[in-house]
Amino acid sequence: MALRILVGCKRVIDYAVKVRVKPDKSGVVTEGVKHSMNPFDEIGIEEAVRMKEKKLASEIIVVSCGPQQCQETIRTALAMGADKGIHIDIPAADLSKVEPYHISKIFAKLATENKADVVIVGKQAIDGDNNQTGQMIAANLDWPQATFASKIEKDGDGLKVTREIDGGLETINLKLPTVITTDLRLNEPRYATLPNIMKAKKKPIEKKTAADLGVDLTPKQQVISVEDPPVREAGQKVEDVSQLIEKLKGAGVV
Amino acid sequence: MFANPIFRRLCLDNLKRPSMRWQSTLVIGEHADGKLTPITLNAITAAKQFGDVSCLVAGEQCANIAEEVSKIDGVSKVLVSDNATFKGLLPESITPLVLEAHNQFKFSHIVAGASAFGKNVIPRIAAKLDVSPVSDIIGIKDKDTFVRTIYAGNAVQTVKSLDAVKVLSVRGTSFDPAPEGGSASVENFSASVSNDLTKWVGAELTKSDRPELTSAKTVISGGRGMKNGENFELLYKLADKLNAAVGASRAAVDAGFVPNDMQVGQTGKIVAPQLYIAVGISGAIQHLAGMKDSKVIVAINKDAEAPIFQVADYGLVADLFKAVPEMTEAL
């Protein structure tokens, strides 16, 4: 079993940044804000690299859709062990109008073109919090899906995946080719070492546009507004446990 | 019949552009272990705002679930698909079933709760209908405009769907559960569905006598400050006094103190109980995303500077190993 794996990596505002809503309510401020790879995608790349180390996979192609800076995200993935990159160039100005609907069409096209056996993406991107792309890629290709994966094993001609569900864990068997989305518990991503970062500079990144793949980016949704969430009123500190219980009884919650 | 040109135009208009009274919604019923999952009731409340509600119940031996759904207020029709193909509610079998129901009944909205099940199946259905789904909605402005959160709940987005069919997942804690009091018709719905892509092997569910986390009235969560898994016993004792569910921060889950289905936060469960007690949790934005809509928030932490105190209604700066047993004792 030597699988060709296509992995997605999204460039998002770093998870530690406190985002600010734009005064015109059109979105959040992204200019001059620290970006990094979506944490769930790091887990996806790590898993692909581990599959290659176990000789389950033969080649790892990493894809990112967005402006020129996405090439840095792809380089990070290459330094972690991916073999080559594909950058789907979408200008920053258009990016906020691109939905998982469009990204999933791009990935489906790339999976077919590159004869991928497995597509791995994070379970959700921490900016849009949509949790849709992987499922939609699978639907577009008519492939099975294993979302929220916490363990991936070889099983005969297919894969056995343990999924994180609401009550605990569930195990499913999948036929190849397949789409997998990663959950936090799947693995702990490695850091890229300096020699690997240097080597990654020599790995190829192919640049394409959605139009090259025949994917139409016309929005299916219109963002009416983006606003701050309601702010909670400042609370009070209590002195001790008895005062706390008194307050909770007063509020009628215990 | 179409002799009168005005009448003729009206008829054609009606065919092309169905009026509101033709709006009809399909709710995909979720169940596990022979029981209806409570989030289905929240999804039905959301769906009622669009018009007539049908509910699909698929699974293996699910007749009693269908019966239960037929008594929910607001449901007018229950479609039952009782077949071994639907065991495990895998999206590869549920999706073609929903598509076939949609072909027959032409729904305006297809809805499920934003649980692990709903998040898994809703986008697959949407892609098959060639529409863009809307995830985890917290509000409905009109039949095609929805409110949802982005960036771990740090921004609220209002989005209008331009698609003919709206495919949505609904945040359970944002809509009340639909009460009993209905008398829907129950109809068998069979479709020629087979699934040779995936096979459900089994589930390992966490057993607990405490209330379910996402629907509990009181939730007590522990974080890294608990130091180890054994110390969670302190929280279980307090939880039993308060009939509360026990949750955890990602730090506590990653450290292996408790299983991951207890995680509250952006990537775990979203809860909005009457009372949320955060014990030894610093309050990272990813955790706040999962609990900040709770009615009353209590924080117990020895670090007076912990961000959790900024959202807590009542904060107690104290050593949790003293404060929690004291609280259990006093209640």
PDB file of all heavy atoms in Angstrom, chain B residues 8 59 121 170 221 226 263 298 300 327:
ATOM      1  N   ARG B   8     -53.434  33.237 -15.643  1.00  0.00           N
ATOM      2  CA  ARG B   8     -52.399  32.355 -16.165  1.00  0.00           C
ATOM      3  C   ARG B   8     -51.029  32.755 -15.588  1.00  0.00           C
ATOM      4  O   ARG B   8     -50.244  31.931 -15.162  1.00  0.00           O
ATOM      5  CB  ARG B   8     -52.399  32.461 -17.690  1.00  0.00           C
ATOM      6  CG  ARG B   8     -51.394  31.557 -18.353  1.00  0.00           C
ATOM      7  CD  ARG B   8     -51.696  31.454 -19.850  1.00  0.00           C
ATOM      8  NE  ARG B   8     -50.771  30.512 -20.446  1.00  0.00           N
ATOM      9  CZ  ARG B   8     -49.700  30.889 -21.135  1.00  0.00           C
ATOM     10  NH1 ARG B   8     -49.451  32.153 -21.335  1.00  0.00           N
ATOM     11  NH2 ARG B   8     -48.889  29.982 -21.628  1.00  0.00           N
ATOM     12  N   GLY B  59     -32.563   4.402  10.688  1.00  0.00           N
ATOM     13  CA  GLY B  59     -31.743   3.583  11.567  1.00  0.00           C
ATOM     14  C   GLY B  59     -32.197   2.148  11.546  1.00  0.00           C
ATOM     15  O   GLY B  59     -33.035   1.760  10.727  1.00  0.00           O
ATOM     16  N   VAL B 121     -22.785  15.002   8.604  1.00  0.00           N
ATOM     17  CA  VAL B 121     -23.658  14.687   7.470  1.00  0.00           C
ATOM     18  C   VAL B 121     -24.144  15.924   6.691  1.00  0.00           C
ATOM     19  O   VAL B 121     -24.306  15.861   5.464  1.00  0.00           O
ATOM     20  CB  VAL B 121     -24.845  13.796   7.941  1.00  0.00           C
ATOM     21  CG1 VAL B 121     -25.875  14.575   8.739  1.00  0.00           C
ATOM     22  CG2 VAL B 121     -25.499  13.087   6.779  1.00  0.00           C
ATOM     23  N   VAL B 170     -27.683  23.465  13.462  1.00  0.00           N
ATOM     24  CA  VAL B 170     -28.229  24.376  14.459  1.00  0.00           C
ATOM     25  C   VAL B 170     -27.518  24.179  15.795  1.00  0.00           C
ATOM     26  O   VAL B 170     -27.399  23.039  16.269  1.00  0.00           O
ATOM     27  CB  VAL B 170     -29.738  24.060  14.642  1.00  0.00           C
ATOM     28  CG1 VAL B 170     -30.323  24.830  15.810  1.00  0.00           C
ATOM     29  CG2 VAL B 170     -30.497  24.356  13.360  1.00  0.00           C
ATOM     30  N   SER B 221     -16.607  22.246  35.417  1.00  0.00           N
ATOM     31  CA  SER B 221     -15.481  21.836  34.570  1.00  0.00           C
ATOM     32  C   SER B 221     -14.167  22.013  35.291  1.00  0.00           C
ATOM     33  O   SER B 221     -13.987  22.970  36.049  1.00  0.00           O
ATOM     34  CB  SER B 221     -15.451  22.661  33.281  1.00  0.00           C
ATOM     35  OG  SER B 221     -16.461  22.238  32.407  1.00  0.00           O
ATOM     36  N   MET B 226      -6.364  20.928  38.067  1.00  0.00           N
ATOM     37  CA  MET B 226      -6.779  19.725  38.792  1.00  0.00           C
ATOM     38  C   MET B 226      -5.585  18.786  39.058  1.00  0.00           C
ATOM     39  O   MET B 226      -5.666  17.873  39.853  1.00  0.00           O
ATOM     40  CB  MET B 226      -7.852  18.954  38.018  1.00  0.00           C
ATOM     41  CG  MET B 226      -9.175  19.702  37.800  1.00  0.00           C
ATOM     42  SD  MET B 226      -9.929  20.299  39.302  1.00  0.00           S
ATOM     43  CE  MET B 226     -10.294  18.759  40.133  1.00  0.00           C
ATOM     44  N   GLN B 263     -14.610  17.516  26.690  1.00  0.00           N
ATOM     45  CA  GLN B 263     -14.034  18.833  26.409  1.00  0.00           C
ATOM     46  C   GLN B 263     -15.071  19.891  26.036  1.00  0.00           C
ATOM     47  O   GLN B 263     -15.900  19.695  25.157  1.00  0.00           O
ATOM     48  CB  GLN B 263     -13.006  18.739  25.283  1.00  0.00           C
ATOM     49  CG  GLN B 263     -12.248  20.052  25.065  1.00  0.00           C
ATOM     50  CD  GLN B 263     -11.394  20.039  23.821  1.00  0.00           C
ATOM     51  OE1 GLN B 263     -10.759  19.039  23.510  1.00  0.00           O
ATOM     52  NE2 GLN B 263     -11.384  21.142  23.103  1.00  0.00           N
ATOM     53  N   VAL B 298     -19.176  30.835  37.387  1.00  0.00           N
ATOM     54  CA  VAL B 298     -18.383  30.917  38.618  1.00  0.00           C
ATOM     55  C   VAL B 298     -16.978  30.437  38.290  1.00  0.00           C
ATOM     56  O   VAL B 298     -16.811  29.439  37.581  1.00  0.00           O
ATOM     57  CB  VAL B 298     -19.002  30.020  39.718  1.00  0.00           C
ATOM     58  CG1 VAL B 298     -18.051  29.884  40.905  1.00  0.00           C
ATOM     59  CG2 VAL B 298     -20.338  30.572  40.172  1.00  0.00           C
ATOM     60  N   ILE B 300     -13.285  29.367  40.072  1.00  0.00           N
ATOM     61  CA  ILE B 300     -12.481  29.114  41.267  1.00  0.00           C
ATOM     62  C   ILE B 300     -11.057  28.885  40.787  1.00  0.00           C
ATOM     63  O   ILE B 300     -10.786  27.930  40.047  1.00  0.00           O
ATOM     64  CB  ILE B 300     -13.001  27.882  42.049  1.00  0.00           C
ATOM     65  CG1 ILE B 300     -14.458  28.104  42.470  1.00  0.00           C
ATOM     66  CG2 ILE B 300     -12.113  27.607  43.264  1.00  0.00           C
ATOM     67  CD1 ILE B 300     -15.110  26.898  43.140  1.00  0.00           C
ATOM     68  N   MET B 327     -17.179  23.415  49.492  1.00  0.00           N
ATOM     69  CA  MET B 327     -18.444  23.688  48.821  1.00  0.00           C
ATOM     70  C   MET B 327     -19.343  22.455  48.850  1.00  0.00           C
ATOM     71  O   MET B 327     -20.540  22.549  49.111  1.00  0.00           O
ATOM     72  CB  MET B 327     -18.140  24.081  47.366  1.00  0.00           C
ATOM     73  CG  MET B 327     -19.039  25.145  46.823  1.00  0.00           C
ATOM     74  SD  MET B 327     -18.462  25.669  45.211  1.00  0.00           S
ATOM     75  CE  MET B 327     -20.049  26.054  44.489  1.00  0.00           C
TER      76      MET B 327
END
